[in-house]
């Protein structure tokens, strides 16, 4: 029997996320992102498809590297306008019972005590179905929005993140003992002060404002693929998101991550875009239909920000100089690995099939299911983060066509496991266990 494939929907509380320009397709409904009904409908579809979770990306700055201006991003709705992803979660949790929610929050600009309270609140309100995608940021525009001249250097951001994580673990796991809440109506005692203590860490002194939630620490996601990012992920992350690349490269990264994290288990998800049709011809026709709406300028605006390179400074066939970038270093490394030294803007644009650098898998549900199973077997990945194209039909196609094909091959669950998000992913209880550093903070 093949290994079980796990699926997350990869989305963002905006119009244009990864595949830029798709919002202009006449069947796309992503401009409805401002309404709760858009999100509750999505959540119901994902739960119908037995998705493990909805992985919500986020940024706290604007993409202004291309042409040293935000104009291209604004013009093409490249992750702007953008809502706060945490605020759409409770509505989706209210209409589902099992779907998990992984929310991106940039720790660099957060006050730890308030941040920890927000996640504990969501863990309570979702009955233990919340996760946090840990990011340290990559946009200078975000730093300026917070009153800083520029962001910290890449490795310095991870150094600061280590301190933040220790403080967050202390608040979630160590401030309230497991038996602190008594709720004794006869004596009028809700909680025992002797079982609650302040946390002194990272320059703060605070008692966590929330009583222990179902998972205490949310399920921890992380997407760093640089050497420093992988070291951080191996220490802290439970689930890791990798950008798509060759099976050989993904297998190398997965093996390195699992070795570094051992003996802790990891769930590793690879970014993927799917175009599904009932026949191969229908799938190819759908790809061409979507492709007519792709935005090259929008894709360049996104790539420029994530790579830290202003492509307007280069002619189409001029080698791109990428040295000194302070953005996502693993993305810069990936470009050199894919195209070799001396890669050009034309190389990049030629990769923009649907308005991003992510090449879609195209085919019938059976053919795509076989490709996903083969990729997971070849790389030791656990599943896939599926980025959207035209909404909601792309997600409906996965739930209605791909999931049955995977189930027919014995590669996909037919029901949710019981328990919290962590229970469903790992089957070992709601709390983080040792040797994870969060467990060392628990009372």
């Amino acid at each position: 029997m093949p290994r079980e494939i796990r699926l997350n929907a990869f989305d963002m509380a905006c119009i244009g996320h990864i595949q830029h320009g798709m919002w202009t397709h006449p069947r796309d409904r992503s401009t409805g992102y401002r309404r709760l009904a858009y999100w509750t409908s999505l959540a119901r579809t994902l739960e119908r498809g037995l998705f493990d979770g909805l992985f919500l990306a986020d940024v706290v700055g604007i993409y202004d590297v291309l042409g040293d201006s935000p104009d291209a991003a604004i013009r093409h709705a490249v992750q702007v306008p953008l809502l706060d992803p945490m605020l759409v979660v409770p509505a989706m949790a209210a209409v589902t019972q099992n779907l998990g929610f992984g929310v991106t929050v940039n720790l660099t600009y957060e006050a730890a005590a308030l941040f920890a309270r927000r996640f504990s609140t969501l863990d309570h309100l979702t009955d233990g179905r919340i996760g946090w995608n840990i990011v340290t940021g990559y946009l200078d525009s975000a730093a300026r929005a917070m009153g800083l001249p520029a962001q910290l250097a890449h490795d310095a951001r991870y150094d600061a993140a280590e301190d933040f994580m220790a403080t967050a673990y202390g608040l979630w796991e160590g401030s309230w003992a497991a038996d602190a809440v008594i709720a004794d109506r006869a004596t009028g005692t809700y909680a025992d002060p002797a079982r609650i203590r302040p946390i002194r860490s990272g320059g703060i002194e605070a008692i966590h404002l929330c009583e222990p939630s179902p998972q205490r620490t949310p399920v921890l996601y992380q997407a760093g693929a640089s050497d420093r990012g992988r070291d951080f992920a191996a220490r802290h992350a439970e689930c890791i998101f990798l950008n798509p690349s060759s099976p050989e490269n993904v297998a190398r990264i997965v093996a390195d991550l699992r070795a570094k994290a051992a003996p802790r288990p990891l769930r590793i998800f690879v970014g993927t875009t799917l175009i599904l049709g009932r026949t191969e011809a229908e799938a190819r026709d759908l790809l061409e239909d979507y492709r007519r709406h792709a935005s090259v300028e929008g894709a360049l605006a996104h790539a420029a920000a994530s790579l830290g390179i202003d492509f307007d400074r280069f002619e189409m066939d001029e080698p791109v100089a990428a040295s000194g970038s302070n953005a996502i270093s693993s993305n810069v490394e990936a470009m050199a690995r894919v195209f070799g030294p001396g890669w050009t803007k034309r190389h990049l644009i030629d990769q923009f099939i649907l308005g991003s650098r992510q090449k879609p898998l195209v085919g019938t549900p059976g053919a795509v299911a076989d490709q996903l199973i083969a990729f997971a077997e070849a790389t030791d990945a656990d599943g896939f983060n599926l980025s959207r194209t035209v909404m909601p039909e792309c997600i409906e196609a996965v739930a209605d066509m791909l999931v049955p094909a995977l189930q027919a091959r014995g590669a996909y669950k037919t029901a949710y496991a019981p328990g919290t998000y962590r229970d469903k992913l790992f089957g070992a209880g709601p709390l983080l266990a040792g040797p994870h550093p969060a467990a060392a903070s628990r009372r």
Side-chain angles (χ1 to χ4, degrees):
M1 294 290 288
R3 67 194 301 153
E4 179 183 328
I5 299 295
R6 295 179 175 274
L7 295 179
N8 287 329
F10 187 31
D11 210 333
M12 199 169 186
C14 62
I15 297 166
H17 178 208
I18 300 294
Q19 312 293 351
H20 296 294
M22 295 298 102
W23 70 272
T24 65
H25 193 285
R27 293 196 302 274
D28 185 81
R29 296 294 177 265
S30 61
T31 54
Y33 79 104
R34 297 165 294 170
R35 300 186 178 279
L36 282 180
Y38 176 89
W39 296 102
T40 54
S41 177
L42 172 61
R44 288 187 179 101
T45 300
L46 296 176
E47 185 150 279
R48 175 163 56 82
L50 301 177
F51 276 65
D52 286 280
L54 170 60
F55 183 105
L56 289 166
D58 192 41
V59 291
V60 289
I62 199 164
Y63 291 167
D64 60 358
V65 175
L66 186 69
D68 195 26
S69 167
D71 289 0
I74 292 170
R75 184 178 302 114
H76 298 286
V78 180
Q79 299 185 9
V80 61
L82 174 63
L83 302 180
D84 185 328
M86 296 189 84
L87 299 183
V88 302
V89 169
M92 292 188 286
V95 299
T96 56
Q97 296 296 318
N98 293 284
L99 183 68
F101 304 96
V103 184
T104 300
V105 178
N106 184 340
L107 58 80
T108 303
Y109 309 115
E110 289 284 335
L114 298 178
F115 162 87
R117 181 176 69 162
R118 295 206 311 276
F119 267 100
S120 291
T121 300
L122 285 179
D123 201 41
H124 280 299
L125 296 180
T126 63
D127 292 326
R129 290 187 282 143
I130 197 68
W132 169 33
N133 177 37
I134 309 163
V135 299
T136 61
Y138 60 92
L139 298 175
D140 281 337
S141 63
R144 295 194 302 271
M146 304 300 159
L148 303 172
Q151 63 182 327
L152 294 172
H154 178 270
D155 285 4
R157 298 199 295 270
Y158 278 111
D159 292 339
E162 290 286 356
D163 293 338
F164 187 96
M165 298 304 295
T167 304
Y169 294 150
L171 291 163
W172 285 323
E173 302 281 358
S175 185
W176 292 59
D179 59 355
V181 175
I182 301 169
D184 187 334
R185 295 179 187 272
T187 65
T189 301
Y190 186 75
D192 180 357
R195 304 296 291 151
I196 299 168
R197 68 185 180 191
I199 298 302
R200 297 175 178 89
S201 174
I204 74 166
E205 180 179 337
I207 290 174
H208 190 38
L209 291 176
C210 291
E211 63 185 89
S213 65
Q215 299 181 119
R216 290 208 174 207
T217 297
V219 170
L220 298 173
Y221 275 85
Q222 210 259 336
S226 66
D227 289 343
R228 184 69 178 85
R230 290 204 298 272
D231 288 343
F232 182 90
R235 176 169 166 77
H236 296 285
E238 300 171 83
C239 301
I240 296 174
F241 170 44
L242 299 180
N243 283 325
S245 62
S246 69
E248 295 77 16
N249 187 55
V250 170
R252 176 184 61 81
I253 295 172
V254 169
D256 180 62
L257 286 166
R258 294 201 192 280
K260 282 178 162 59
R264 291 197 305 109
L266 296 175
R267 295 294 186 198
I268 298 176
F269 296 84
V270 181
T272 308
T273 302
L274 307 178
I275 305 292
L276 298 166
R278 288 167 293 185
T279 65
E280 289 289 339
E282 182 178 277
R284 292 291 166 187
D285 287 348
L286 193 60
L287 173 64
E288 292 309 311
D289 178 28
Y290 288 179
R291 195 170 189 173
R292 286 191 286 271
H293 296 270
S295 169
V296 170
E297 187 181 35
L300 272 177
H302 191 171
S306 66
L307 295 166
I309 301 168
D310 180 5
F311 292 105
D312 276 3
R313 296 191 294 107
F314 299 92
E315 299 297 329
M316 287 293 287
D317 297 307
E318 178 185 357
V320 172
S323 61
S325 171
N326 195 24
I328 305 176
S329 64
S330 61
N331 283 353
V332 177
E333 294 163 4
M335 296 299 295
R337 186 169 54 249
V338 170
F339 297 124
W343 62 275
T344 68
K345 184 161 67 171
R346 189 183 304 278
H347 285 125
L348 181 63
I349 290 174
D350 286 347
Q351 201 178 24
F352 293 159
I353 295 175
L354 290 179
S356 85
R357 288 170 287 143
Q358 196 170 106
K359 182 179 179 181
L361 291 181
V362 183
T364 63
V368 170
D370 290 338
Q371 290 180 72
L372 295 178
I373 291 168
F375 190 94
E377 295 286 353
T379 62
D380 195 29
D382 294 285
F384 301 90
N385 267 5
L386 303 183
S387 63
R388 59 174 158 95
T389 53
V390 172
M391 287 289 283
E393 64 185 52
C394 63
I395 292 296
E396 292 170 345
V398 173
D400 296 336
M401 294 196 292
L402 177 64
V403 165
L406 288 169
Q407 289 171 331
R409 289 158 173 77
Y412 198 78
K413 58 185 170 295
T414 57
Y416 282 106
T420 67
Y421 196 9
R422 184 171 285 117
D423 281 308
K424 289 176 169 61
L425 287 167
F426 297 100
L431 305 180
L432 272 167
H436 193 283
S441 299
R442 186 172 306 132
R443 295 179 67 200

